[in-house]
Amino acid sequence: MTTWITICDTCKRDDWSEATHQRPHGEDLAELVEKAARGRTVRTRRVSCLMGCKHGCNVAIQANGKLAYTLGDFLPDSDAAAAIVDYAEMHANSDTGRVPFREWPQGVKGHFVTRHPPLPNADDA
């Protein structure tokens, strides 16, 4: 089962302005997460807007049949990207998507915005 890191590439942090930035912070974070995920067990994809504008930069960690998480308020830097990918691999290695807090990379602590239960199976409906 594949764990996906979905990265909002349109996120703009509070300090963004046309005068000082060439592109959204989300594009910077997306490139860094994609680079950090190369050769790892997780996949990445970009979307335009996760609707978490108060928490930019946002990512979602998701896999079929597992808890899903939205994380935000990241700086678009390599430390954040590494922590996101490390956490996503822990999610991938978990049967339920739940990773014990003591195992979380320091770089994701304080960045969780939402948790979503897995969708029911079609047989459960």
Side-chain angles (χ1 to χ4, degrees):
M1 184 173 320
T2 302
T3 288
W4 287 88
I5 304 169
T6 302
I7 310 134
C8 177
D9 64 4
T10 56
C11 277
K12 297 174 183 170
R13 294 181 49 84
D14 288 341
D15 67 339
W16 191 90
S17 77
E18 286 185 25
T20 59
H21 295 83
Q22 299 294 315
R23 61 189 192 163
H25 291 112
E27 285 189 39
D28 297 331
L29 183 62
E31 282 185 5
L32 293 164
V33 170
E34 290 163 351
K35 182 178 177 184
R38 281 190 201 116
R40 307 281 292 267
T41 61
V42 296
R43 307 258 326 257
T44 63
R45 65 182 180 154
R46 296 182 186 203
V47 297
S48 294
C49 197
L50 285 173
M51 296 183 74
C53 300
K54 289 187 177 188
H55 303 284
C57 294
N58 293 286
V59 300
I61 309 294
Q62 310 164 278
N64 263 346
K66 294 185 179 186
L67 291 166
Y69 297 90
T70 304
L71 296 85
D73 285 323
F74 287 105
L75 292 174
D77 63 25
S78 58
D79 289 340
I84 291 164
V85 173
D86 288 346
Y87 178 81
E89 279 199 326
M90 293 174 181
H91 180 275
N93 291 327
S94 166
D95 290 337
T96 63
R98 184 170 298 154
V99 177
F101 178 80
R102 69 183 175 279
E103 296 177 18
W104 293 2
Q106 187 62 40
V108 299
K109 291 181 179 177
H111 292 275
F112 285 79
V113 178
T114 62
R115 177 175 75 177
H116 303 270
L119 291 171
N121 292 322
D123 297 338
D124 297 336

